[in-house]
């Protein structure tokens, strides 16, 4: 283990290697900086008390100055010698959670941030509020997760939020590196909500779309594009003309980040028929052409009722597109790219459909696209 007189300049000049490096300070015994292969640097203390080894993170070496880190380390070292805990080590879970949402929350889209705050307030804080962040163990997390068995969806969606808080707590120096107590949490098994349209249902939908085309051309075009691309509704209704070029959609801000959507000939035909009277491909028909179409939810509910598809959500058009693509020969990675999935495991749920059933749906989809379904 290297030793040197630590200065701000020397810490900044440290370069990562293939393994973790600890550099101890010659001025303050038991204090040093750890350099990870990733380039991350953190201050630490290392001492012995009554035969027990004590190693704790003081803070991140980028956000915490050397002077402040030494002051905090001296307090922590003194507390460890006296067998007590420094006040900085007893920081409460809710304080760290708020810091994480303030600093890390900028990585989330506004809607995602709002939803995650809801999970924090309703599922996470009632259990962990008032607990020191360093004291929360894997057993505590398992007990919390088990307490949410009555609301499995909320449990599954709040667990990743808790994990982010714990990982960032390590990055900010409140917990030891690699101590995330959320590791190994297995999600609840629940019946999937995926709904796939049958061949007959696609035919009925096609007939209803043609009936409404004259009075609601924009809404009909959006529904058809959802079927033809597997895109999310928000990705289609907010399309700009600048995102449609070279026969593809170049989405700058999809749910999973920028991505390219490959378009079939029928999809391109729909787009090419739209008037270029606004920067939006589907401008609002209520407030003028300065904003995009907000939603087709009301139109869809009316349309599905007429088609006898009362339990079909708009998002199920995406499921139908994906299942057809998978079972007609496309591999999981390809379909994942078509849908904009970051995790191939997300696409695997479509592979359970029977080959013969999907073949029929694929044929019906072809008829719908060609406009020949009756």
């Amino acid at each position: 283990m290297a030793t040197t007189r630590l200065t701000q300049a020397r810490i900044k000049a440290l370069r990562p290697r293939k393994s973790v490096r600890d550099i101890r300070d010659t001025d303050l015994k038991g204090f040093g900086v750890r350099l990870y292969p990733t380039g991350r640097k953190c201050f630490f203390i290392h001492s012995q008390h009554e035969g027990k080894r004590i190693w704790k993170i003081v803070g991140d070496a980028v956000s915490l100055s050397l002077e402040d880190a030494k002051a905090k380390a001296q307090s922590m070292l003194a507390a460890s010698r006296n067998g007590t805990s420094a006040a900085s080590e007893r920081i409460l879970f809710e304080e760290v959670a708020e810091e994480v949402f303030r600093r890390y929350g900028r990585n989330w889209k506004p809607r995602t941030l709002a939803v995650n705050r809801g999970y924090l307030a309703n599922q996470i804080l009632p259990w962990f509020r008032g607990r020191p962040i360093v004291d929360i163990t894997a057993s505590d997390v398992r007990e919390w997760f088990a307490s949410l068995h009555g609301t499995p969806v909320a449990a599954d969606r709040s667990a990743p939020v808790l994990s982010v808080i714990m990982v960032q707590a390590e990055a900010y120096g409140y917990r030891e590196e690699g101590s995330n107590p959320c590791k190994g949490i297995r999600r609840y098994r629940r019946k999937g909500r995926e709904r796939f349209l049958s061949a007959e249902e696609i035919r009925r939908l096609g007939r209803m779309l043609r009936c409404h085309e004259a009075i609601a051309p924009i809404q009909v075009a959006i529904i058809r594009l959802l079927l033809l691309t597997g895109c999310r509704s928000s990705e289609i209704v907010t399309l700009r003309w600048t995102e449609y070029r070279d026969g593809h959609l170049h989405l700058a801000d999809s749910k999973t980040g920028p991505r390219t959507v490959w378009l079939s000939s029928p999809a391109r035909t729909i787009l090419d028929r739209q008037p270029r009277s606004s920067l939006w491909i589907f401008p609002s028909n209520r407030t003028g052409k300065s904003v995009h179409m907000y939603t087709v939810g009301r139109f869809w509910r009316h349309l599905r009722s007429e088609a006898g598809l009362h339990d079909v959500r708009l998002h199920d058009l995406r499921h139908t597109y994906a299942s057809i693509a998978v079972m007609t020969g496309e591999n999981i990675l390809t379909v994942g790219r078509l849908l904009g999935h970051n995790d191939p495991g997300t696409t695997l749920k479509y592979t359970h459909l029977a080959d013969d059933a999907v073949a029929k749906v694929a044929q019906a989809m072809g008829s719908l696209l060609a406009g020949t379904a009756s």
Side-chain angles (χ1 to χ4, degrees):
M1 184 181 296
T3 58
T4 187
R5 181 177 177 274
L6 290 176
T7 65
Q8 205 74 54
R10 284 175 179 168
I11 294 171
K12 185 177 181 180
L14 290 173
R15 294 294 177 264
R17 296 179 182 175
K18 292 183 178 180
S19 58
V20 174
R21 295 172 60 201
D22 286 344
I23 300 94
R24 295 203 180 216
D25 185 33
T26 55
D27 288 348
L28 179 58
K29 185 178 179 181
F31 173 71
V33 63
R34 170 166 286 190
L35 178 62
Y36 294 90
T38 59
R40 183 196 166 203
K41 303 169 186 176
C42 69
F43 296 113
F44 69 87
I45 61 166
H46 183 203
S47 64
Q48 296 281 338
H49 177 68
E50 296 180 351
K52 182 180 178 181
R53 175 180 176 270
I54 299 173
W55 193 96
K56 294 183 181 294
I57 292 177
V58 176
D60 185 79
V62 174
S63 58
L64 190 65
S65 70
L66 178 60
E67 182 181 359
D68 290 342
K70 280 191 172 184
K72 184 177 178 181
Q74 286 176 324
S75 175
M76 294 171 67
L77 287 166
S80 66
R81 287 192 293 269
N82 296 330
T84 60
S85 296
S88 59
E89 294 182 67
R90 310 305 294 174
I91 185 169
L92 300 180
F93 173 83
E94 58 266 29
E95 297 177 82
V96 179
E98 185 56 38
E99 181 178 352
V100 170
F101 270 74
R102 186 177 67 253
R103 296 173 61 181
Y104 183 85
R106 67 193 66 172
N107 296 306
W108 290 323
K109 293 179 182 295
R111 176 174 172 77
T112 302
L113 178 60
V115 169
N116 287 348
R117 275 205 174 274
Y119 288 127
L120 175 66
N122 299 318
Q123 277 75 37
I124 300 174
L125 282 180
W127 189 273
F128 294 105
R129 182 185 282 111
R131 301 193 190 189
I133 190 75
V134 297
D135 292 347
I136 296 174
T137 66
S139 177
D140 294 328
V141 173
R142 287 194 297 270
E143 188 178 355
W144 162 76
F145 196 68
S147 74
L148 297 175
H149 65 88
T151 54
V153 174
D156 287 347
R157 293 180 178 175
S158 56
V161 178
L162 178 60
S163 183
V164 167
I165 293 171
M166 292 301 180
V167 169
Q168 293 306 305
E170 295 177 21
Y172 303 158
Y174 300 126
R175 289 180 63 92
E176 188 172 348
E177 181 81 9
S179 65
N180 184 3
C182 299
K183 288 181 179 178
I185 291 293
R186 299 184 65 179
R187 294 189 175 191
Y188 286 100
R189 289 186 177 183
R190 59 184 191 273
K191 186 177 181 180
R193 293 186 62 198
E194 289 77 18
R195 171 73 157 81
F196 306 92
L197 274 68
S198 68
E200 174 55 30
E201 287 173 333
I202 289 178
R203 292 190 189 97
R204 295 206 305 269
L205 178 59
R207 288 196 294 269
M208 289 302 102
L209 286 171
R210 288 193 293 278
C211 288
H212 286 272
E213 191 164 15
I215 58 176
I218 291 180
Q219 290 87 340
V220 168
I222 290 173
I223 299 298
R224 283 177 170 161
L225 278 177
L226 293 177
L227 280 164
L228 289 164
T229 64
C231 284
R232 301 172 181 88
S233 176
S234 60
E235 294 170 340
I236 295 299
V237 298
T238 61
L239 274 177
R240 299 170 183 259
W241 283 112
T242 54
E243 295 176 304
Y244 174 44
R245 57 186 185 275
D246 303 323
H248 307 312
L249 296 180
H250 301 272
L251 305 181
D253 191 29
S254 72
K255 182 179 179 180
T256 55
R259 73 183 184 97
T260 299
V261 178
W262 277 259
L263 299 175
S264 63
S265 177
R268 293 195 299 271
T269 298
I270 292 173
L271 290 169
D272 291 339
R273 287 176 178 172
Q274 304 308 309
R276 292 179 178 259
S277 56
S278 166
L279 62 90
W280 308 102
I281 295 181
F282 301 112
S284 171
N285 56 3
R286 287 189 175 184
T287 57
K289 299 174 181 178
S290 60
V291 295
H292 61 75
M293 173 72 67
Y294 288 115
T295 179
V296 291
R298 180 179 295 181
F299 174 76
W300 171 251
R301 288 189 292 273
H302 178 69
L303 185 73
R304 73 179 182 182
S305 178
E306 289 189 349
L309 306 174
H310 304 284
D311 64 333
V312 179
R313 301 168 302 157
L314 199 58
H315 198 69
D316 292 327
L317 303 182
R318 176 173 165 87
H319 296 319
T320 300
Y321 170 89
S323 63
I324 293 172
V326 169
M327 299 306 290
T328 52
E330 297 296 344
N331 63 59
I332 293 298
L333 292 178
T334 299
V335 175
R337 288 187 64 194
L338 288 172
L339 296 175
H341 287 162
N342 282 338
D343 181 5
T346 306
T347 320
L348 289 174
K349 63 186 176 185
Y350 300 111
T351 63
H352 68 280
L353 297 181
D355 292 306
D356 56 345
V358 175
K360 293 177 181 178
V361 175
Q363 181 60 41
M365 182 69 82
S367 297
L368 172 64
L369 306 187
T372 59
S374 59

